[in-house]
Amino acid sequence: LQGWSKAIETADPTMVQAPQDLNALESRLQYSEASTKSRDKDPQARLELAESTLAFALERAGNPVLLSRGTANKHVQLLYEDALREAKAAESLGAKGWRLNALLAVSSWNLGKFDDAYARAEAAVTGMPADAGDRISLNAVLVFAEARQQAIADAVRAKKDWPPQWLTDLNAAYS
């Protein structure tokens, strides 16, 4: 997280990704779906489909930075389920790494599967490159921060010691 925080501090503000047009996201999703049909055993194709599905769902749900649990819209909920299913299919075909874990974390979180989301967010943030700046990566960092905040609160309520690294992680995630 320290490398990621440092990259944010020194980032060129003109290089921040603007929200994507919904039509562009839908086109990307359609392209990924077509591509996956011809490469259904390719973990990379499944990962790309999961990513485009999740990006489209986040945009349809509203402001992705707020991590709004906007599952009242049934279509958005189905998109989250599709993204999760495709990410799991990619994993079963051999996909690994921070990108997969970020997809699984954000999809799971939006479906209310918080324990899965928190574990995957930690794995995603651990391997995430400092220059990852897309919405899914940002959402994975926010899920990770929520997990750390929840773990600290749980430890305090139980009057148990907790690793000081958790507070450092939380601070780095929010900075």
Side-chain angles (χ1 to χ4, degrees):
L1 275 178
Q2 290 172 349
W4 209 69
S5 296
K6 187 172 180 103
I8 290 172
E9 289 172 14
T10 60
D12 178 357
T14 62
M15 297 303 291
V16 174
Q17 290 184 342
Q20 292 185 328
D21 178 86
L22 192 58
N23 290 331
L25 289 169
E26 188 171 19
S27 293
R28 178 180 166 210
L29 175 57
Q30 291 171 349
Y31 176 82
S32 294
E33 287 172 338
S35 177
T36 302
K37 285 181 183 175
S38 64
R39 304 181 313 160
D40 66 331
K41 299 294 183 203
D42 180 359
Q44 187 63 31
R46 293 289 183 152
L47 208 54
E48 289 168 9
L49 179 54
E51 193 170 59
S52 58
T53 303
L54 183 55
F56 186 67
L58 289 170
E59 187 65 27
R60 290 283 309 244
N63 186 345
V65 174
L66 297 178
L67 277 180
S68 173
R69 290 183 177 99
T71 56
N73 181 337
K74 186 65 176 169
H75 184 245
V76 172
Q77 185 171 356
L78 292 171
L79 288 167
Y80 289 136
E81 290 172 4
D82 287 348
L84 184 62
R85 184 178 51 254
E86 290 300 330
K88 286 182 176 182
E91 185 174 42
S92 72
L93 291 169
K96 292 179 174 42
W98 74 269
R99 188 172 157 214
L100 170 70
N101 286 311
L103 289 165
L104 290 166
V106 177
S107 297
S108 295
W109 190 92
N110 280 288
L111 290 169
K113 300 175 181 183
F114 303 118
D115 290 338
D116 293 340
Y118 294 161
R120 292 298 189 146
E122 183 171 358
V125 168
T126 300
M128 190 178 290
D131 63 348
D134 61 281
R135 288 181 176 173
I136 295 170
S137 300
L138 173 61
N139 280 273
V141 171
L142 292 175
V143 172
F144 172 75
E146 183 180 292
R148 281 296 192 251
Q149 190 172 356
Q150 186 64 46
I152 291 170
D154 289 347
V156 169
R157 274 193 291 278
K159 298 182 180 180
K160 293 183 178 179
D161 290 336
W162 46 273
Q165 182 63 41
W166 288 359
L167 187 58
T168 303
D169 291 345
L170 189 57
N171 185 45
Y174 283 126
S175 37

